[in-house]
Amino acid sequence: MKIYGLQKMTLLDFPGKVACTVFLGLCDFRCPFCHNFELVDGTAPVLYSEEEFFSYVSKRKGLLDGVAITGGEPCIHKDLPEFMKKIKDMGFLVKLDTNGNHPDVLKEILDRELADYVAMDIKNSPEKYAMTAGLEGLDLANIKKSVSLIMSSGIDYEFRTTVVNELHSGEDFAGIGHLIQGARKYVLQNFTDRDTVPFDGLSPASGEDLEAFAWEAGRFVESVEIRGVD
């Protein structure tokens, strides 16, 4: 496994845990608001080998609770389950971030109990999903299957949407609510513009709009959380 980035300690990426975050490269989505686009298109340099990563975490036993794996899209990589198994075998908890477009890989991970927490991005309402993911003709069957797998897995999870003022409206969150109806936890993350975002002209939602969106989604799920608002 090629490691494109490593945040050596975080209290934010793995809820309730002290963790490090591993960034893997490449993604099959082309979200216009992505702040890790240099990972998506493969232009970012590889910073660590797998051996270097495991050497680091082996020295952090007792200091770290777990490892968060993000990207890019981790489930693109065929060796992801074995990579996660190695982390688990060292005694660490594992959190996986995914776009949900690879349910077969996700099913293997869940069946083998390789993840302790899964965070799946929900890009938008079904009608606007392909546009928001930057992938024309996206088949939502994979997304729906991954939602079902996660909700029936028995592990901790969250669904989350990065809210962009130009891409989301109130009615979209009713559509999202139907898509993840009955979910335990749904998170609204406000968009943050960065130099690495591939498209200009995008902006975060207002605090008032986020509250309204959270109320709309909250009619369908057990708990809604807003992140990225001061």
Side-chain angles (χ1 to χ4, degrees):
M1 189 68 73
K2 296 177 180 178
I3 311 297
Y4 286 77
L6 176 62
Q7 185 174 355
K8 295 186 175 181
M9 184 171 289
T10 175
L11 300 176
L12 301 176
D13 290 347
F14 196 149
K17 306 298 179 185
V18 180
C20 68
T21 301
V22 176
F23 294 86
L24 306 184
L26 306 179
C27 184
D28 49 338
F29 284 4
R30 291 295 183 270
C31 306
F33 53 88
C34 180
H35 63 260
N36 284 337
F37 203 77
E38 73 281 8
L39 298 177
V40 170
D41 65 5
T43 58
V46 175
L47 298 182
Y48 301 92
S49 66
E50 187 172 315
E51 292 73 19
E52 288 172 322
F53 165 71
F54 281 113
S55 175
Y56 169 77
V57 293
S58 68
K59 299 170 184 174
R60 296 301 183 272
K61 290 183 179 180
L63 299 175
L64 298 177
D65 300 315
V67 177
I69 302 174
T70 190
E73 172 49 46
C75 289
I76 277 182
H77 301 279
K78 301 296 185 184
D79 50 348
L80 177 65
E82 291 308 313
F83 181 66
M84 295 174 70
K85 185 178 185 303
K86 290 179 184 178
I87 297 171
K88 292 281 289 182
D89 286 346
M90 295 179 72
F92 294 105
L93 302 172
V94 178
K95 172 179 176 272
L96 174 67
D97 291 350
T98 182
N99 64 21
N101 201 34
H102 305 271
D104 292 344
V105 176
L106 181 60
K107 185 177 187 303
E108 178 184 352
I109 288 167
L110 295 173
D111 286 349
R112 295 175 62 184
E113 300 182 347
L114 299 177
D116 302 281
Y117 195 109
V118 175
M120 177 179 160
D121 293 323
I122 302 294
K123 301 300 181 181
N124 211 327
S125 59
E127 295 77 14
K128 294 167 66 174
Y129 214 103
M131 177 270 293
T132 309
L135 202 64
E136 185 177 348
L138 175 67
D139 184 356
L140 286 188
N142 283 344
I143 303 301
K144 293 176 180 178
K145 186 174 181 180
S146 290
V147 168
S148 178
L149 285 168
I150 291 168
M151 288 180 61
S152 62
S153 67
I155 67 170
D156 287 334
Y157 67 85
E158 67 183 53
F159 298 109
R160 61 192 187 185
T161 299
T162 298
V163 184
V164 183
N165 187 49
E166 290 74 19
L167 299 177
H168 297 95
S169 64
E171 63 185 14
D172 293 322
F173 290 91
I176 291 171
H178 282 291
L179 189 61
I180 60 170
Q181 190 162 2
R184 290 200 302 266
K185 184 177 181 181
Y186 177 54
V187 178
L188 304 181
Q189 301 180 150
N190 212 8
F191 169 72
T192 301
D193 200 7
R194 298 180 183 176
D195 291 341
T196 53
V197 172
F199 286 83
D200 295 327
L202 301 179
S203 59
S206 69
E208 183 178 355
D209 280 347
L210 286 172
E211 292 288 351
F213 298 161
W215 180 89
E216 191 69 47
R219 298 186 297 123
F220 302 91
V221 300
E222 293 182 17
S223 173
V224 180
E225 179 180 329
I226 297 174
R227 294 178 188 154
V229 177
D230 296 332

